[in-house]
Amino acid sequence: MSEGSSGTPKLKIGVLLSGSGTNLQAIIDAAQDGLPVEIVHVISSRPDAFGIKRAKEAGISVCALDKTVYANPEEADARIVSQMQDAGAEYLVMAGYMRKLTPVVLNAFPDRVLNLHPALLPSFKGAHAIQDAWDAGVKVTGVTVHFANEDYDKGPIIAQRAVPVLEPDTIDDLEARIHATEHVLYPEVLRLLAEGRISVDDERKVRIA
């Protein structure tokens, strides 16, 4: 296993995405700045996702799936597992991946699938979290990184960071601030994983050493 500049062994991750890949880019940039992480493979659920270009430009192997592959979700996930295991991924990182993972993936990578959610879970679950928080008129929302499980947006929470809703904000302003926070928090969590400081206890709560 290769090591980062700090001597910490590099954590090998596979990234799942569906869109522009800004969180993938944040991880790529952080890795170039010393984050002890190696992205060994990227899989996109859409062949037109801009994240594919980001992966290729960084020299990362990438596979693009399409909706015909997902006609059978279990078979699609078996394909994901096979590719990620062949690439040597230790953890899977969902970075704007808009497909619900089946137990095929979750059982192959138990407590090793990370998801990023643009709200402070358990508040505002689902695909429209930023809009839902905005519509609710909350003064604080945020970002959650958690382990994925079979219950949508309910896996053990690893880290959260609050994002204020400011008086002059438009929803676009809030969304930009949330995404900027994601780009900082996700690499921080990956560093903790690489350093072996994250565990899940018997009560299914995350402990950070």
Side-chain angles (χ1 to χ4, degrees):
M1 180 181 291
S2 57
E3 292 186 352
S5 58
S6 65
T8 301
K10 286 189 178 181
L11 184 75
K12 294 185 177 181
I13 66 170
V15 175
L16 304 175
L17 57 81
S18 299
S20 63
T22 58
N23 277 296
L24 168 67
Q25 189 65 56
I27 298 169
I28 291 170
D29 293 345
Q32 292 174 343
D33 288 338
L35 178 70
V37 164
E38 178 185 356
I39 304 171
V40 295
H41 192 48
V42 170
I43 294 179
S44 171
S45 66
R46 292 173 45 200
D48 61 344
F50 189 75
I52 294 171
K53 181 179 180 182
R54 295 182 190 274
K56 289 180 176 178
E57 288 181 348
I60 302 166
S61 67
V62 60
C63 173
L65 308 180
D66 59 36
K67 62 182 180 180
T68 63
V69 176
Y70 287 97
N72 185 319
E74 288 78 14
E75 287 185 6
D77 278 5
R79 183 169 173 178
I80 290 171
V81 169
S82 176
Q83 289 192 23
M84 290 301 190
Q85 288 179 338
D86 287 348
E90 300 168 90
Y91 282 79
L92 301 188
V93 174
M94 289 193 281
Y97 184 69
M98 302 308 292
R99 295 274 182 174
K100 190 174 187 297
L101 293 175
T102 71
V104 173
V105 170
L106 298 173
N107 292 340
F109 291 88
D111 291 333
R112 289 186 288 135
V113 180
L114 275 67
N115 187 42
L116 183 68
H117 186 74
L120 295 175
L121 293 175
S123 298
F124 307 115
K125 299 175 184 176
H128 307 290
I130 298 175
Q131 183 70 56
D132 291 344
W134 177 263
D135 292 344
V138 299
K139 300 306 181 184
V140 177
T141 182
V143 175
T144 301
V145 180
H146 67 99
F147 287 118
N149 62 15
E150 293 183 52
D151 295 323
Y152 199 70
D153 291 337
K154 281 190 68 176
I157 291 171
I158 303 169
Q160 293 182 306
R161 188 150 299 165
V163 175
V165 183
L166 305 178
E167 288 300 328
D169 275 351
T170 65
I171 189 170
D172 290 339
D173 295 330
L174 176 61
E175 183 171 0
R177 197 177 305 115
I178 286 174
H179 291 326
T181 302
E182 292 174 348
H183 301 161
V184 173
L185 187 59
Y186 229 176
E188 288 181 1
V189 169
L190 289 172
R191 181 177 293 279
L192 292 173
L193 280 173
E195 293 173 350
R197 295 174 58 192
I198 294 177
S199 61
V200 181
D201 67 17
D202 293 340
E203 297 180 350
R204 304 299 298 153
K205 292 182 180 179
V206 171
R207 303 299 179 189
I208 299 177

